[in-house]
């Protein structure tokens, strides 16, 4: 589907412009509106990284754990596990 792809790249563009709030909102919308999109694990991981950078460690930790639970075979799950190891 093209809509989740467009939303993902819109979020990426916001992030590149250092507009973290807009990027986060776009990723969140993608995750909510298109939960079966193949872009969801990446969107979740990017949100978790932003949370971690914003010192929202508990929220980031929950998001990393959710990625591992929902998408255990994804590349993002492996990355999330590495991040969790560094948070603990």
């Amino acid at each position: 589907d093209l809509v989740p792809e467009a939303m993902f790249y819109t979020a990426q563009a916001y992030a590149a412009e250092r507009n973290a709030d807009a990027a986060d909102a776009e990723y969140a919308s993608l995750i909510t509106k298109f939960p079966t999109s193949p872009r969801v694990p990446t969107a979740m991981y990017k949100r978790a990284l932003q949370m971690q950078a914003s010192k929202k460690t508990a929220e980031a930790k929950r998001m990393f754990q959710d990625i591992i639970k929902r998408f255990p075979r994804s590349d993002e799950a492996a990355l999330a596990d590495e991040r969790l190891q560094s948070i603990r």
Side-chain angles (χ1 to χ4, degrees):
D1 196 4
L2 295 179
V3 176
E5 286 294 308
M7 293 175 80
F8 180 80
Y9 286 110
T10 298
Q12 292 284 86
Y14 284 135
E17 293 174 346
R18 302 210 191 297
N19 189 342
D21 291 340
D24 185 64
E26 197 70 19
Y27 286 132
S29 183
L30 165 62
I31 293 162
T32 302
K33 291 179 182 177
F34 300 96
T36 60
S37 168
R39 289 293 185 183
V40 169
T42 305
M44 290 176 69
Y45 184 74
K46 300 251 183 198
R47 285 194 78 205
L49 291 177
Q50 182 56 42
M51 290 171 187
Q52 192 175 21
S54 299
K55 307 293 185 213
K56 297 176 183 175
T57 307
E59 291 176 40
K61 189 174 181 178
R62 280 191 298 274
M63 182 72 70
F64 288 134
Q65 290 168 336
D66 196 25
I67 294 165
I68 294 166
K69 181 180 175 184
R70 288 178 58 191
F71 308 100
R73 293 189 180 109
S74 68
D75 292 340
E76 291 80 7
L79 295 169
D81 188 54
E82 289 175 16
R83 287 287 178 158
L84 280 173
Q85 299 303 322
S86 71
I87 291 174
R88 292 183 183 149

